[in-house]
Amino acid sequence: MKDEMEKNNISWKRVVIFFIIATLISNIFRFDIFEFKSELEKLPSWVFIFITVLLEGSGVIIGALIIIPFLKKKRKMEMSLFGTSKSKSLIMAIIPILILTIIGVTNDFGMEYHFYGLVAATGTFLYCIMEEYGWRGYLQEELKILKPWKKYLIIGFIWYLWHLTFLTKASIGDNLFFLGMMIFGSWGIGQVAESTKSIIASACFHMIIQIMMFNALIKNGIDGTEKIMILGVSIAIWFVIIKKWEKENTIANNV
């Protein structure tokens, strides 16, 4: 009985270690503390973009990859890169990348619009996968024994803290709005993670949030109509895929 309780317990020590690793490493590059970007800018633009986004997301995935083995020793984990369907994960991932490549994205790099759309979309998606390895791949698994409202509140708050928005010139109102978005996003993406067990599927919805609001590579390169089109088409197709996915999972679990 004691061993079973220990397996199901949350280790806040693991959570704190993950958060420290994720925050220190990612924000060194996000805030460009050592001024790496001035050197990276000498590289071809598409290489600069990929390296920059990978460095900025590196802390979260490094923290997750360090901590996840310790969690696996205590209990079985359900989340994985492809979840319960590799094909559905990949189809979901292709949709926004394909749309952005087709419509093209204006940019300050002097790159052809459609090629830049491919580069920016692919780079953004890779970044979202790196984040999702931490927030859903590890943290949601660590906290899964909690009631949903507690779980998503904690994940959203930690996600907010990781950004260090409160250290920028953002107002109190902006910080509260951002905190609310992180909590709501944790609930929404968390539902996708519960249904699919897929980090890639979770990253797809993370990417849509990035495109609509925060992503520096894309947000000013497409207009509002194009954003709504990407949102509408992607969500509509993903909804159908996830509903079929859930049905197949239910059948598999009942066999």
Side-chain angles (χ1 to χ4, degrees), residues 23-38 56 164 167:
T23 304
L24 286 179
I25 295 176
S26 282
N27 285 294
I28 283 174
F29 299 111
R30 288 179 64 239
F31 289 95
D32 198 20
I33 292 174
F34 297 114
E35 300 181 351
F36 290 128
K37 285 186 179 180
S38 59
E56 290 181 2
L164 301 183
L167 297 181

Side-chain angles (χ1 to χ4, degrees), residues 43-100:
L43 299 170
S45 297
W46 68 272
V47 177
F48 166 77
I49 291 168
F50 276 117
I51 293 177
T52 300
V53 297
L54 293 177
L55 288 176
E56 290 181 2
S58 62
V60 187
I61 192 169
I62 289 171
L65 292 176
I66 289 173
I67 296 300
I68 283 174
F70 294 97
L71 178 57
K72 282 184 174 180
K73 290 180 180 179
K74 295 296 182 180
R75 67 171 92 121
K76 182 180 178 181
M77 293 184 62
E78 298 178 306
M79 287 290 293
S80 64
L81 183 62
F82 297 108
T84 55
S85 176
K86 183 176 182 179
S87 60
K88 290 181 180 63
S89 291
L90 293 175
I91 291 170
M92 287 182 68
I94 288 169
I95 292 166
I97 296 174
L98 183 61
I99 295 173
L100 281 164

Side-chain angles (χ1 to χ4, degrees), residues 4-214:
E4 192 63 31
M5 288 179 64
E6 287 179 354
K7 285 181 181 179
N8 292 326
N9 280 343
I10 296 168
S11 170
W12 295 106
K13 181 180 179 180
R14 285 195 298 260
V15 173
V16 170
I17 293 172
F18 161 74
F19 174 74
I20 291 173
I21 294 170
T23 304
L24 286 179
I25 295 176
S26 282
N27 285 294
I28 283 174
F29 299 111
R30 288 179 64 239
F31 289 95
D32 198 20
I33 292 174
F34 297 114
E35 300 181 351
F36 290 128
K37 285 186 179 180
S38 59
E39 292 299 318
L40 294 175
E41 285 171 352
K42 298 173 184 178
L43 299 170
S45 297
W46 68 272
V47 177
F48 166 77
I49 291 168
F50 276 117
I51 293 177
T52 300
V53 297
L54 293 177
L55 288 176
E56 290 181 2
S58 62
V60 187
I61 192 169
I62 289 171
L65 292 176
I66 289 173
I67 296 300
I68 283 174
F70 294 97
L71 178 57
K72 282 184 174 180
K73 290 180 180 179
K74 295 296 182 180
R75 67 171 92 121
K76 182 180 178 181
M77 293 184 62
E78 298 178 306
M79 287 290 293
S80 64
L81 183 62
F82 297 108
T84 55
S85 176
K86 183 176 182 179
S87 60
K88 290 181 180 63
S89 291
L90 293 175
I91 291 170
M92 287 182 68
I94 288 169
I95 292 166
I97 296 174
L98 183 61
I99 295 173
L100 281 164
T101 302
I102 292 172
I103 66 176
V105 180
T106 58
N107 60 92
D108 297 326
F109 293 97
M111 296 170 64
E112 195 276 326
Y113 295 168
H114 301 287
F115 178 65
Y116 180 79
L118 173 62
V119 170
T122 304
T124 299
F125 186 68
L126 290 174
Y127 172 85
C128 291
I129 288 178
M130 295 173 81
E131 274 208 47
E132 288 305 307
Y133 249 104
W135 311 128
R136 256 55 64 180
Y138 162 64
L139 193 55
Q140 186 161 318
E141 284 277 356
E142 180 74 73
L143 304 179
K144 67 182 179 181
I145 65 171
L146 295 177
K147 292 181 179 179
W149 71 268
K150 287 184 180 180
K151 175 172 61 181
Y152 297 128
L153 185 65
I154 292 170
I155 294 171
F157 184 67
I158 292 175
W159 195 5
Y160 161 77
L161 290 178
W162 172 79
H163 284 90
L164 301 183
T165 314
F166 50 89
L167 297 181
T168 67
K169 294 180 181 180
S171 66
I172 293 176
D174 289 338
N175 272 280
L176 290 174
F177 174 77
F178 188 57
L179 173 59
M181 285 296 299
M182 294 298 96
I183 294 172
F184 179 75
S186 294
W187 170 80
I189 301 175
Q191 300 306 298
V192 175
E194 291 290 342
S195 296
T196 66
K197 311 303 180 187
S198 169
I199 289 169
I200 286 180
S202 301
C204 288
F205 285 84
H206 191 149
M207 183 176 180
I208 284 296
I209 296 173
Q210 287 269 326
I211 292 171
M212 297 300 293
M213 301 187 68
F214 307 118

Side-chain angles (χ1 to χ4, degrees), residues 95-96 99-100 103 207-213 218-219 221-238:
I95 292 166
I99 295 173
L100 281 164
I103 66 176
M207 183 176 180
I208 284 296
I209 296 173
Q210 287 269 326
I211 292 171
M212 297 300 293
M213 301 187 68
I218 296 172
K219 68 176 183 179
I222 54 178
D223 60 32
T225 302
E226 290 167 332
K227 288 183 180 181
I228 295 298
M229 183 191 73
I230 296 167
L231 175 67
V233 172
S234 298
I235 295 295
I237 298 174
W238 291 343

